[in-house]
Structure formats: C-alpha cells, structure tokens
Amino acid sequence: MTSAQDIRPRKDELAAQAQYYSTSPNASFHSPSSHGSALTRTIPLPNAKHLKPFATEDIKVLLLENVNQTGRDILSQQGYQVEFLKSSLPEDQLIEKIRDVHVIGIRSKTKLSARVLKEAKNLIVIGCFCIGTNQVDLQYAAEHGIAVFNSPFSNSRSVAELVIAEIIVLARQLGDRSNEMHNGTWNKVSNGCWEIRGKTLGIIGYGHIGAQLSVLAESMGLSVIFYDVVNLMALGSARQVETMEALLGEADFITCHVPELPETKGMIGPKQFEQMKKGSYLINASRGTVVDIPALIDAMRSGKIAGAALDVYPNEPAGNGDYFNNDLNTWGADLRSLKNLILTPHIGGSTEEAQSAIGVEVAQALTRYVNEGTTLGAVNLPEVALRSLTMDEPNHARVIYIHQNIPGVLRKVNEIIGDHNVDKQMTDSRGDVAYLMADISNVNTTHIRDLYTSLESLPSRIQTRILY
C-alpha cells in the first residue's frame, strides 16, 4: 500500500481560504468539543504517511509525571510542541496549563476532574501512561468528545515479578532481618520462615497480571488457584475456584489483581481475614481501596496474618517526599509499626522495560487518534477505525463526527455527506455517545469548509473533525 498524503489546494483557492485562516495553506477543520471553539490548521510533512489534522507545530502536548522518553520521542517526532514536566500539578496550576493544549499525557497522580476538563477548550485526547484510568472523569470526557487511552498490559510482567519477589521475602521474613542488620542486630532464626515450594498461591483476578503470575509461581513449585468473576481458561496446572471464600480458605499466599470498581472497594475486609488460613500472607498490588487496611492491621496484630505486602494505598502522595504519614492516612503510623510487612510506593510497574513499553503504546495511540481519528483502544469512546488513505486517493477527506446517540442523527449526517462519494464509513455507539468516521472523495477545500459548517450546525454535535 502506498503512503497517504495531504490534499494540496490550488493556488486560486488559497485567497479564498485566507479569510478563515491566518497562515497555513492547508486548513483542517476541527471543533475541539462542545465546550471548545473553532478552527485549526495543518501543514503537511514531507512524505507523510497519515493524515495531518493540524499544523503539526501547532499541536500542543503537555506531558506530566515524568512520562518515559520513548513516549516523548514519538510525540516530538510528529512535529508537535511537547512540554514535559517531571511531576504532577496542583489543580489550579493544571487548569492554567491545560487550557490551550490538544493532548495531555499523565500517569496515576494527576486528577483530570470535570472541573479541570471544563477548562480544556482545545483538548481532544488524554493519554494515561499507566494501567488505570480512574484518575480521569471518563464520562465527562466522553460527553465532550475527548478520547482516553491507557496501557492496560505493558507492565504486567513487572508487577508479576514484584509479587513473586514479595512472596519469597515474606516467607523468609527478609524485610525484618534486613532492617535488624541495618540497625546492627544479628538475629539468625528459622522459626516462621518457609520455603514457597509446595505452598498454595491464591490469585484474585486472573487477568494479564494474574495469568503471568500464575505461570511464574508454578515454575517455582507453588500450586495455583484463582478466583475471577468470569470463567477463564487456566494456564498450566492452575485451577479456578467458584468463590472467593474457597480461595481464602485454601491459599497460603493471597494476591489481589482487580480494577478499582464499586464492587471491589473494601473487598478484603474483616470477614475475609477471618476466612483466611492462620499464618497466611496477603499481597495487594492492584488498587489501594481493595484492602481494608485497619482490618489488615488488626489481623496482623492478632497473628491471623503472618505477613503482608502493599504497593498501593487509598490515599497516595502527589510527589516524592516525607508524606506517608497520618496526615495522608490516619492509620499510617500503626501500619508502619507492623513486623513482616513490605511497604512500597506504588512501584509495581516501575521498571525501565515497563515504562518504555507504556511510553510506546500510549504515544502511538495518541498519534493515531490525532492524525487518523482511530479510536481502537479508547476506554471511553466507541472503537472505530478505517484503513489509511493513500497516495492513490489524493482528493479525499476523512470526516469524524462525534455526536449524541439519539435517533435521526445518521440520516442528517448522510444527507450532508451524501452529495459526495462516500468511499467507506463506520459508526458505533457507546452509551450516550456515538462516533462516526467516513472517507469521502473528489472534494476540495471549499467542499470541506461547507461540510464542516453543516455538521457543526447539527444539534447532536459533540465534536467535528475533518482530516485531509
């Protein structure tokens, strides 16, 4: 397949365009969202393979929280203006920064609430360079045509390896012995220290992380059982159990790998600790609200739980420093006082390999969305994609219309684009929001301007973009 190109208007069309655009001879139409404004422009890159919806040097990208260099490079190579900050920002500062950006990349600490997104007049897409998206108001973003992408699988191996390490450290009480040696105390003991071979690992949530962990654990001699809300094919000799109660009563080591949902909040609480075997161990590398930490403190003090490892917490600091205290979580000091407890600062996916892979995956999703309108992998919009336009299709344009999912919209849209040859078209809906993409041929810049104006006038419109 040959590469795509931008439509270049004839010289006699440039004067007509001048009244609409300030500098670029290649204008692209884009309404950032129903709370945003106006038009932007595009300059084609030499030998461009994909459509360019803006002048690439006019695309403003804000990357927060030390997004990996791989992602920064991909976005910079597109010619975008990329601003990079190592930390998150307080909400008021974030609002000031986000007002004129088209793309924002964040990790887990930045909170994109409705209040923040309301001020993002030009924003079309959010990249979460992490697994979770709970830090973004997904509903508000969808209702205003802002796509959200994440990287749900790239750090699976890193998290699985951390859990394996924690299982061994807990079984041998290595954390306590190391702390004692650092304080000058020699305490050679074997009481309560175990090999992991022959023990049972219970995995709650058998997704990508849970499945990888299952394979690693079996190779080290652990028997694996798992509980999930859906029936899944077990890997190796792992066995799915029907209830979480059955898992808790059988497992020596229990590890949580579930998303943050209303039904998973406090999923491991006093009742569940009572159901566990005496002397068992708990590991949570999923989300901080999954485990009732005061209940864990009580279970460890009573001796019911022999050890635990936590990588996530209900409230986490926005940056590095001496913040893990009672001001952040009221039980902080009580938790830190426990023996055989591993506390890590949300580093499950913090390896060079994972962050590099996340940077590539999310940055590529962002550029595909900005340049082509493809929503494959979006967590809050319908997944729609069309094959790329090529050099053999010089006078084509791609129409993207994000709209309210109400009766009669497609008829009105097709009445507008129906005067042109529609080469391909796809539409899908997700809840109250629908996403339409169509490639039309034999158009010039006047046609495109008229199409844009007509689509923008429809009452169902959330966002209109025309790429060419």
Side-chain angles (χ1 to χ4, degrees), residues 24-75:
S24 173
N26 250 25
S28 174
F29 298 76
H30 160 238
S31 64
S33 73
S34 58
H35 67 292
S37 65
L39 311 173
T40 53
R41 44 198 173 80
T42 183
I43 296 173
L45 294 179
N47 302 315
K49 294 183 178 180
H50 300 292
L51 300 167
K52 296 294 180 184
F54 302 94
T56 52
E57 68 271 23
D58 288 348
I59 283 284
K60 293 184 178 180
V61 180
L62 176 62
L63 300 178
L64 302 175
E65 301 184 71
N66 205 24
V67 167
N68 192 266
Q69 186 69 48
T70 56
R72 285 141 56 188
D73 288 345
I74 288 171
L75 295 167

Side-chain angles (χ1 to χ4, degrees), residues 135-368:
Q135 69 274 41
V136 179
D137 189 326
L138 297 177
Q139 184 64 32
Y140 184 94
E143 290 171 354
H144 293 81
I146 303 169
V148 180
F149 295 90
N150 68 335
S151 180
F153 313 126
S154 292
N155 68 1
S156 301
R157 177 71 181 202
S158 296
V159 178
E161 287 188 3
L162 177 68
V163 172
I164 288 292
E166 289 174 335
I167 290 171
I168 296 172
V169 169
L170 291 174
R172 298 294 299 275
Q173 301 179 14
L174 295 182
D176 290 353
R177 300 295 86 79
S178 177
N179 288 335
E180 291 162 357
M181 290 290 284
H182 277 280
N183 291 324
T185 300
W186 184 277
N187 184 23
K188 183 178 179 179
V189 296
S190 59
N191 184 42
C193 298
W194 312 93
E195 292 182 356
I196 65 170
R197 178 181 55 176
K199 306 302 188 296
T200 298
L201 171 64
I203 302 173
I204 301 174
Y206 203 68
H208 285 258
I209 294 173
Q212 285 212 31
L213 174 60
S214 172
V215 174
L216 294 176
E218 275 202 3
S219 71
M220 302 190 72
L222 284 155
S223 297
V224 177
I225 58 176
F226 66 92
Y227 170 74
D228 203 293
V229 293
V230 297
N231 291 324
L232 296 168
M233 183 182 72
L235 299 181
S237 300
R239 171 172 54 88
Q240 184 168 8
V241 296
E242 293 186 0
T243 65
M244 192 166 70
E245 182 178 0
L247 181 144
L248 297 175
E250 185 177 347
D252 300 296
F253 298 90
I254 298 159
T255 180
C256 302
H257 301 284
V258 296
E260 184 174 59
L261 299 169
E263 53 266 37
T264 62
K265 185 174 182 179
M267 185 175 68
I268 305 296
K271 178 181 177 181
Q272 288 70 37
F273 285 117
E274 283 298 317
Q275 294 169 348
M276 294 181 191
K277 295 170 64 174
K278 181 176 176 59
S280 59
Y281 303 83
L282 176 69
I283 298 168
N284 184 23
S286 58
R287 287 293 178 260
T289 58
V290 169
V291 174
D292 181 338
I293 293 184
L296 170 64
I297 293 170
D298 291 341
M300 291 189 68
R301 284 176 172 170
S302 70
K304 182 64 181 286
I305 302 301
L310 302 177
D311 188 48
V312 289
Y313 310 90
N315 297 305
E316 298 180 0
N320 295 339
D322 299 329
Y323 305 121
F324 193 68
N325 50 42
N326 280 26
D327 292 333
L328 185 70
N329 295 290
T330 56
W331 34 254
D334 289 337
L335 184 69
R336 297 197 309 272
S337 70
L338 298 172
K339 295 292 186 180
N340 205 24
L341 175 67
I342 303 169
L343 301 176
T344 50
H346 204 151
I347 58 170
S350 297
T351 62
E352 293 287 353
E353 294 90 347
Q355 292 306 309
S356 176
I358 289 170
V360 170
E361 181 180 359
V362 178
Q364 287 180 344
L366 294 176
T367 58
R368 282 194 299 269

Side-chain angles (χ1 to χ4, degrees), residues 143 401-407 409 431-434 459-462:
E143 290 171 354
Y401 187 65
I402 308 175
H403 61 88
Q404 299 168 24
N405 185 23
I406 55 179
V409 175
D432 295 329
V433 178
S460 59
R461 166 259 182 201
I462 294 175

Side-chain angles (χ1 to χ4, degrees), residues 62-134:
L62 176 62
L63 300 178
L64 302 175
E65 301 184 71
N66 205 24
V67 167
N68 192 266
Q69 186 69 48
T70 56
R72 285 141 56 188
D73 288 345
I74 288 171
L75 295 167
S76 296
Q77 287 163 8
Q78 293 290 317
Y80 306 155
Q81 293 182 40
V82 179
E83 182 178 1
F84 164 73
L85 298 176
K86 289 188 175 181
S87 64
S88 60
L89 293 173
E91 187 172 72
D92 290 341
Q93 293 182 32
L94 179 59
I95 286 173
E96 289 300 318
K97 280 281 188 184
I98 204 173
R99 281 194 170 119
D100 63 345
V101 302
H102 304 93
V103 180
I104 186 168
I106 63 172
R107 294 175 68 187
S108 58
K109 298 294 186 292
T110 299
K111 307 301 180 185
L112 294 180
S113 62
R115 176 174 179 255
V116 173
L117 294 176
K118 184 179 180 180
E119 302 296 326
K121 303 301 184 183
N122 293 323
L123 190 66
I124 62 171
V125 62
I126 297 166
C128 297
F129 287 78
C130 52
I131 292 179
T133 57
N134 56 296

Side-chain angles (χ1 to χ4, degrees), residues 1-5 49-51 368 371-376 383-394 396-400 421-427 435 437-441 467:
M1 180 180 291
T2 54
S3 60
Q5 68 171 9
K49 294 183 178 180
H50 300 292
L51 300 167
R368 282 194 299 269
N371 294 348
E372 302 176 25
T374 299
T375 57
L376 294 181
E383 294 189 273
V384 177
L386 296 176
R387 65 171 175 81
S388 298
L389 296 176
T390 71
M391 294 288 286
D392 298 326
E393 302 163 302
H396 286 58
R398 174 161 292 176
V399 176
I400 297 167
N421 186 40
V422 180
D423 291 343
K424 48 189 180 293
Q425 180 176 345
M426 182 176 178
T427 186
Y435 193 96
M437 186 188 296
D439 286 349
I440 58 178
S441 58
L467 316 182

